[in-house]
Amino acid sequence: MTITYEYEGALYVNLTNRCNCNCEFCLRHGKKEGSIYTEDSLWLEREPTRQEALDSFLSRDVCSYREIVFCGYGEPTYRIDDIVWLVDQLKERFGDKLPPVRINTNGHANLIQGRDVVPDLKGRIDTLSISLNANTAAEYVALCHPVQGEAAYQAMLDFAKEAKDYVPHVVFTVVDKGTAPEEIEESRRIADSLGVKLRVRSYIDS
Ligand code: SF4
């Protein structure tokens, strides 16, 4: 079972395969050559406990990485309480030497947890990379198929807006596959209106 893995100098963490979405482009749908996600081992036979995840961290030279990224084959914020615990454990051991911590997320943590988790991120998470993916709720549902329907789109925008007060770097991402320049511009306008940066990423990326 792969819990932590290296990719381009960063340490990635895979805590769950659960997700409330079923994005058309999700790398869980198939193997994409050249992607870190071609690893079958990223499919977890069961979710690791927080202690197993910590042991996986501690088996590595944690401070040698440029970043720690909670990502994985699924939506990491299903395990937000464990992420918080893990970061606290690592900070206790490594203090200021701990590399910056990022969560790659669909921005639905509050929907998933049924509470406002954003304040828990303060002082723990340095970067939130949130998949914007679409410029309207209808497009979002057509692309990402969240179980919560169109409400998930606004929830994601609200999450990003709130997170700016707790997390130093909040970034929206859009995938460049087949995305027209005017759509990117509209995404940029949405990001600007919320005071969030936009990153256009390739189909296969981190
Ligand atoms: S949110 Fe991420 S893990 Fe979930 S279906 Fe979409 S791409 Fe896959």
Side-chain angles (χ1 to χ4, degrees), residues 14-201:
N14 179 33
L15 294 179
T16 185
N17 292 154
R18 285 180 283 168
C19 192
N20 62 318
C21 290
N22 187 19
C23 299
E24 298 284 335
F25 55 83
C26 183
L27 295 166
R28 302 186 305 171
H29 288 158
K31 296 184 174 185
K32 307 291 179 208
E33 264 181 47
S35 167
I36 49 173
Y37 299 101
T38 54
E39 288 291 325
D40 280 338
S41 56
L42 291 183
W43 285 109
L44 300 164
E45 66 267 19
R46 64 174 174 79
E47 292 192 354
T49 65
R50 51 169 63 172
Q51 186 62 50
E52 286 172 327
L54 180 61
D55 291 345
S56 180
F57 272 111
L58 297 180
S59 71
R60 297 176 178 276
D61 185 2
V62 174
C63 297
S64 69
Y65 297 96
R66 63 175 170 80
E67 194 174 22
I68 291 170
V69 185
F70 289 91
C71 180
Y73 247 13
E75 170 50 40
T77 61
Y78 274 87
R79 304 283 307 268
I80 193 67
D81 290 342
D82 293 327
I83 291 174
V84 163
W85 181 84
L86 282 164
V87 174
D88 284 349
Q89 292 290 319
L90 294 171
K91 280 190 179 290
E92 207 175 293
R93 284 166 175 79
F94 302 112
D96 292 344
K97 292 195 170 57
L98 188 70
V101 179
R102 164 163 50 120
I103 303 179
N104 288 354
T105 177
N106 62 16
H108 297 164
N110 291 347
L111 279 183
I112 289 166
Q113 298 295 337
R115 68 180 179 88
D116 184 6
V117 306
V118 178
D120 296 351
L121 308 179
K122 187 172 183 176
R124 297 182 171 106
I125 306 302
D126 299 281
T127 302
L128 271 179
S129 181
I130 304 170
S131 304
L132 177 63
N133 287 335
N135 295 330
T136 68
E139 287 170 13
Y140 189 75
V141 167
L143 187 64
C144 300
H145 310 288
V147 295
Q148 294 88 355
E150 291 195 2
Y153 185 69
Q154 189 60 48
M156 176 267 295
L157 297 180
D158 292 344
F159 178 79
K161 191 174 178 194
E162 183 189 356
K164 279 185 313 157
D165 294 335
Y166 297 91
V167 174
H169 307 288
V170 181
V171 183
F172 276 145
T173 63
V174 290
V175 178
D176 68 359
K177 186 170 183 274
T179 310
E182 52 271 27
E183 289 179 71
I184 301 280
E185 273 321 296
E186 178 58 11
S187 296
R188 202 173 301 284
R189 192 197 62 73
I190 292 169
D192 285 349
S193 74
L194 297 173
V196 171
K197 287 195 181 118
L198 182 76
R199 182 168 79 97
V200 181
R201 64 184 178 89

